[in-house]
Each structure stands twice: as C-alpha cells, then as structure tokens.
Amino acid sequence: MRVQKLTFAALAVVAGLSLTACQNGDEDMGQIAPSSASTASSTSGGSGSGGSDQDGGKDSAGKGTGGQGTTAGTGSSENGKVGKCRTDELEITATDSTIDGDPDGTVAVELKNGGGRDCVLSGYAGVDLKTSSGSLSAKRTGEKATPMTLKDGKSVYFGINYPINTSGGSGVRITGLVVTPPDETKSVTLDWPGADTLPVTDGSGSQVKVGPMGSAGQGG
C-alpha cells in the first residue's frame, strides 16, 4: 500500500507540473500574437495615407503629387500669360539720333513699359509725320519683325529715317510726329525732334522709312 500511494503521489506531481507548463505556454503565445499584430498595424499606418497627406506622394517617375506643388504650378502657368502692350501703358518719346555724315536723318523712338506688368510688342509701329502739306505716312523698311516681351520698366527703340533737305529751298515743314504702337489703334502725338523740313518730292512715294521694334539702340 505504501508503494502504491507513493506512485499515485508521484503521478500527481508529474500531472501538476505538466499542467503548469501547458498554462505557461498558452500565456506566452497569448502575449506574442497581440504584440506582432500591434507592430504590423503601426507599420502600415506609417507608410499609408497619413504620411502621404503631409509630404505628398510620388508617381512612377518619382515626381511629387502633393497638393501644394500642383496648385502653385497651375497658378503660375495661368498668371504667366503675357498680354500685348497697350498705348496707355507705354511712355513714348522721340529723340534726334542723326549721325554726322549720314545721307539721311534719323529719329529714335523709345517705348518704355510703365504699365506695372510685362507685355508683348510685335512688328512695326504706325508712324505719321504732320507736315505743312498734310499727313505723311512712313513706309516699313521690310526688316524682319520679331515678337518680344518688354519687361516692366524697360524700353525698346525703333528708328525713323528721313531725307535731309539739302535743296536750298524751304521744303516741306514738319510740325509733329504721330506714333501708334503695334496692334493698337490709340496714337500719341509728339514734337518732331529732327530736321525742320523735308525736301520737296515729285509725289512718287514716301521718303520716310520706319524700322521694326528693336531696330534702333539707345541714343541711336
């Protein structure tokens, strides 16, 4: 009987140890699984929409797709469109630029952008001389006219060439200069800074020539 009791006691101890080990194993598994799930959830959140909202995503070419960059680019494109120069935005003056020894006289006309924005000038200005015999329209020289952007506060010049009166006669008296910027209908009237008279012609055509924008430099 004593041997049998000891055997039962030993079995009970073994059974208890087995139960304890099993319970400890379950507790260990229960701790590991939630910890792994929590780590996976945290990693997903760090690379998901939260980070994209703050920093902006990238497309397959590596270009940013964030909202702020796209908006700024669109606004810049829309506001970057440059319109033509208006007469009211231009300060127009004329000066004598004749060089001694030249067979013809030259007047340089300056168009300064004072409109507070950049604008585009393209082609030839309209030029008419007021004379004692009526209005005389200048003819274009035929030089290539290249469109240009005139920055705010900057100037561009074109030249007017005319024959000098060397006949000894009174000639045709010039009383004023009318300038119409390219693609505009509003004109400005200026004092004529060149020689007082033109030689009398047979009426076969205008002897006054006008160049395109940029055909004269500052001071001539």
Side-chain angles (χ1 to χ4, degrees):
M1 291 295 295
R2 181 176 179 79
V3 174
Q4 189 176 15
K5 288 181 179 181
L6 289 174
T7 300
F8 286 154
L11 291 173
V13 172
V14 171
L17 291 174
S18 299
L19 180 60
T20 301
C22 182
Q23 290 176 348
N24 288 339
D26 291 341
E27 289 176 0
D28 290 343
M29 292 178 64
Q31 292 175 358
I32 292 173
S35 176
S36 299
S38 175
T39 302
S41 175
S42 175
T43 303
S44 175
S47 61
S49 60
S52 178
D53 288 343
Q54 293 178 2
D55 300 329
K58 290 188 177 182
D59 60 19
S60 60
K63 297 180 180 179
T65 56
Q68 292 183 347
T70 303
T71 301
T74 301
S76 176
S77 176
E78 292 175 353
N79 296 330
K81 185 177 181 180
V82 181
K84 70 177 182 178
C85 297
R86 301 289 187 180
T87 302
D88 292 337
E89 297 175 319
L90 299 171
E91 300 172 18
I92 304 176
T93 55
T95 57
D96 183 12
S97 296
T98 302
I99 299 175
D100 290 342
D102 282 357
D104 294 329
T106 302
V107 167
V109 179
E110 176 186 4
L111 288 79
K112 183 177 181 180
N113 184 0
R117 67 178 181 94
D118 297 350
C119 59
V120 173
L121 278 174
S122 177
Y124 287 76
V127 170
D128 296 282
L129 299 186
K130 290 183 175 182
T131 76
S132 56
S133 298
S135 180
L136 176 65
S137 295
K139 287 187 175 182
R140 297 178 179 182
T141 61
E143 297 174 65
K144 182 179 179 181
T146 302
M148 64 182 67
T149 297
L150 185 61
K151 299 290 186 180
D152 182 38
K154 299 299 182 180
S155 297
V156 66
Y157 299 78
F158 68 87
I160 302 171
N161 294 327
Y162 63 94
I164 296 175
N165 183 16
T166 59
S167 65
S170 59
V172 178
R173 187 165 57 90
I174 304 173
T175 59
L177 170 64
V178 180
V179 177
T180 308
D183 299 320
E184 281 288 273
T185 57
K186 185 175 181 179
S187 304
V188 295
T189 301
L190 308 172
D191 292 334
W192 174 251
D196 292 336
T197 62
L198 295 173
V200 177
T201 67
D202 58 7
S204 59
S206 174
Q207 296 175 292
V208 181
K209 307 288 185 181
V210 56
M213 293 294 134
S215 60
Q218 185 174 2

